[in-house]
Amino acid sequence: MTPPRRMRRRPQPPPAPQPPRSPSTEAAEAAEAKGPGDNPERLYSVAGSGDGARAELDLVTLIVARSAPPVSATPEQAAVLRLCRAPLSVAELSAYLRLPFSTMTVLLTELITAELVQARAPIVRQALPDRSLLEAVMHGLQRL
C-alpha cells in the first residue's frame, strides 16, 4: 500500500485591503458571529414582557403540539409548533432553536396558556418488569 501524497503548500497572495468599517457595522458583525441565540435583545423580544409566571417545566418534559401554528404566531412559536408534531423534550427544543432554557420556558408557557401545546411528564421505564407479564409470556412459551 502506498502512502498518500501530500500537496506542497504554495505561498498565497496577501488579501486585498478592506474599506474602513463603521462602528455600527462592526457591532452587527460581532453579534452575528456569536450566533442568533446570544443576542440579549433578541432573547428579550422572544421572551416578551409578560407577567413573569412560568409553567413547571424541566429539561425532560415532553412538549406536543395540539394544532398548526396560527397566523398570529411569532416565528419562534411557529417553529416550536412545527417541531412538536411528535413529542420533543424541552432540552431538544432549546437545542434546535438555539435558545437558552429560561427563554424556552417563557415561550412554552405562552404556548401552554394559549392551549397550542401540551406538556407531558416524561415516560419513565420501570426498573423491573411486571411479574404477571413475565409469567404470562412463560406460560405462552410452554404451550408451544
Side-chain angles (χ1 to χ4, degrees):
M1 184 172 192
T2 61
R5 294 186 181 193
R6 295 187 180 186
M7 299 296 292
R8 176 169 267 179
R9 294 184 189 175
R10 306 213 187 276
Q12 299 291 329
Q18 297 289 332
R21 295 182 287 180
S22 67
S24 62
T25 306
E26 289 177 6
E29 288 175 1
E32 285 181 20
K34 285 192 215 173
D38 297 340
N39 188 351
E41 292 85 16
R42 180 178 179 272
L43 294 177
Y44 181 77
S45 66
V46 169
S49 57
D51 59 355
R54 292 186 186 177
E56 292 292 324
L57 300 171
D58 57 358
L59 290 172
V60 293
T61 302
L62 297 176
I63 305 296
V64 182
R66 289 184 164 183
S67 64
V71 179
S72 62
T74 64
E76 288 81 10
Q77 290 174 340
V80 168
L81 291 170
R82 281 193 304 272
L83 286 170
C84 290
R85 290 181 186 146
L88 282 177
S89 70
V90 177
E92 290 171 315
L93 286 171
S94 180
Y96 288 143
L97 297 178
R98 296 182 181 174
L99 292 173
F101 177 72
S102 57
T103 306
M104 199 72 219
T105 55
V106 172
L107 183 63
L108 289 172
T109 301
E110 292 173 357
L111 291 172
I112 290 170
T113 51
E115 296 183 355
L116 294 173
V117 297
Q118 179 182 9
R120 296 181 182 173
I123 300 169
V124 180
R125 296 183 184 216
Q126 295 179 349
L128 298 172
D130 186 22
R131 183 180 175 95
S132 61
L133 176 66
L134 290 175
E135 288 176 355
V137 169
M138 184 179 69
H139 292 304
L141 290 173
Q142 286 174 348
R143 283 188 226 148
L144 292 175

